[in-house]
Amino acid sequence: MSGIGVFGGTFDPIHMGHLRSALELKQALALDEVRFVPCRQPPHRALPAVGPEARAEMVARAIAGVTGFVLDRRELHREGPSYTLDTLVALRRELPGKRLVLLLGADAFLGLPGWHGWRALLELAHIAVAHRPGWSLEDGAGLDELTHGRLVAEPGALNAAAAGCIVLIAVTQLEISATALRSTAGVGGDIHFLVSESVREYIETTGCYRSG
């Protein structure tokens, strides 16, 4: 069964940590593509530092030429908070025969009980949790209801159905802070090797994070 990864976020800006994790998850899960879905209005945090179109442009530049990496702009045109549930409902409607896999970092996964409609997510997609080597679900709490009977040991187990399973995948963790990155860019600091060269050029040319 072919598979589509769904990788959402503010991408403010998209950086090498996002890109490396997405690549390793795509390979481990044998996904046909990973859809990068920049949100317009995050439900649980303040509005991003730059507007949605600028963030989408940076995503487009970062993934240009990477086989299987796709920009999905649907949340940019949706009014109100950008709920992942709404995105998965729309994708399931469009891709009824596809295996959908929601790609999450460990911190986001542990925070799932605070998400809008979180219990319904696994009716629409699998969930792959990217984590650092040595991390365990025991590091978090409150997810027994979600993980019970759904946790699988191997990524290949997700091939048996279009949705409903959770798999944990250790990936290379590049400890890049988007907040620190914005601060550095804001004062004209050097952000080489934190973001792709095309994104660095965009940030420096537009001055989108410049303070004052």
Side-chain angles (χ1 to χ4, degrees):
M1 182 183 297
S2 57
I4 305 293
V6 182
F7 189 15
T10 57
F11 300 121
D12 187 28
I14 187 168
H15 55 64
M16 291 300 195
H18 298 130
L19 296 168
R20 185 65 206 179
S21 291
L23 179 63
E24 293 186 17
L25 289 170
K26 179 178 181 293
Q27 294 170 342
L29 295 161
L31 298 172
D32 298 307
E33 64 182 43
V34 172
R35 296 199 178 193
F36 289 76
V37 189
C39 75
R40 180 176 181 272
Q41 180 181 333
H44 302 117
R45 56 192 295 185
L47 287 173
V50 302
E53 291 298 336
R55 291 183 283 108
E57 175 63 21
M58 286 188 277
V59 172
R61 288 169 178 249
I63 66 177
V66 182
T67 301
F69 278 11
V70 177
L71 171 62
D72 188 319
R73 304 172 66 90
R74 73 184 62 233
E75 291 188 2
L76 304 183
H77 309 296
R78 185 188 304 150
E79 296 296 327
S82 301
Y83 292 127
T84 297
L85 178 64
D86 294 338
T87 296
L88 292 180
V89 167
L91 285 170
R92 176 54 63 209
R93 187 184 307 118
E94 295 167 18
L95 305 167
K98 296 284 187 179
R99 174 173 52 109
L100 297 181
V101 186
L102 179 61
L103 309 179
L104 297 177
D107 289 344
F109 180 68
L110 293 178
L112 269 187
W115 287 31
H116 171 72
W118 65 281
R119 289 182 176 86
L121 296 176
L122 282 167
E123 298 173 12
L124 300 162
H126 299 297
I127 295 177
V129 183
H131 64 88
R132 62 173 54 85
W135 180 84
S136 167
L137 271 177
E138 295 177 0
D139 296 339
L143 287 171
D144 291 348
E145 176 184 348
L146 188 68
T147 59
H148 181 70
R150 298 179 181 274
L151 202 59
V152 298
E154 297 295 332
L158 274 59
N159 293 327
C165 295
I166 300 168
V167 63
L168 311 181
I169 300 177
V171 300
T172 303
Q173 292 285 314
L174 302 180
E175 299 293 341
I176 299 174
S177 163
T179 301
L181 201 164
R182 292 193 299 271
S183 296
T184 299
V187 295
D190 193 341
I191 57 173
H192 275 93
F193 314 122
L194 296 174
V195 297
S196 70
E197 186 64 8
S198 58
V199 171
R200 183 192 67 80
E201 291 175 353
Y202 180 87
I203 290 172
E204 293 188 356
T205 299
T206 63
C208 58
Y209 291 114
R210 284 284 183 146
S211 54

